Amino acid sequence: MPTFPARPFRSSRTTRTLGARYRSLLARHPFVLFGLPFLATIVAGSFFLTPATAIRYEKHDRKVRRLSEDERLGIHAREGGRRVSAESVAEEYYRLAAKDLDDWEQKRVKRLPGEHDGIL
């Protein structure tokens, strides 16, 4: 007889427990006792998490709706403590677009004492 038998000894007391019966049935029917409950948990979890994600997106939609109401009033942003309307933004755009961008000269910025200026 070999030193370690292929089938270990299990007393009748340990084979009657729920865990022992589950372990023996799991070897015979792995999908039914492990795979099916696992898939059912995933599907049930998706149904339970759907309301949570819906709340998240509804909150985001409320924020977007508030911004669109402000835009209807003509308020885009605050600049320097004053409100900037759509007309002033357009005016600023046309003022900058009218500048001559082809006629310019590159100037070096004066460096602080002790700072490397990048000239070789």
Side-chain angles (χ1 to χ4, degrees):
M1 184 162 173
T3 309
F4 298 106
R7 294 183 58 163
F9 173 73
R10 290 193 176 93
S11 68
S12 61
R13 178 188 261 175
T14 59
T15 56
R16 288 189 216 141
T17 63
L18 180 66
R21 281 187 278 168
Y22 178 75
R23 206 175 315 117
S24 66
L25 287 173
L26 183 64
R28 283 185 250 150
H29 311 286
F31 179 75
V32 173
L33 295 174
F34 184 77
L36 197 61
F38 180 72
L39 292 176
T41 303
I42 291 174
V43 170
S46 71
F47 282 109
F48 285 118
L49 289 176
T50 300
T53 55
I55 290 171
R56 175 182 175 212
Y57 290 118
E58 287 170 4
K59 182 179 176 185
H60 177 70
D61 289 343
R62 274 187 253 126
K63 277 186 184 178
V64 171
R65 198 171 301 123
R66 266 192 235 126
L67 288 176
S68 64
E69 289 169 3
D70 289 344
E71 287 177 359
R72 275 190 233 125
L73 295 174
I75 303 167
H76 285 286
R78 289 185 175 263
E79 182 179 320
R82 63 183 176 92
R83 291 182 180 184
V84 180
S85 65
E87 292 83 24
S88 64
V89 171
E91 289 171 9
E92 185 69 17
Y93 170 77
Y94 289 121
R95 186 181 68 78
L96 291 173
K99 285 189 174 183
D100 184 20
L101 299 178
D102 294 330
D103 186 27
W104 59 279
E105 184 180 334
Q106 183 175 1
K107 297 180 183 177
R108 290 186 59 83
V109 176
K110 187 174 180 180
R111 306 288 190 228
L112 296 172
E115 188 179 3
H116 182 67
D117 60 355
I119 298 176
L120 297 174

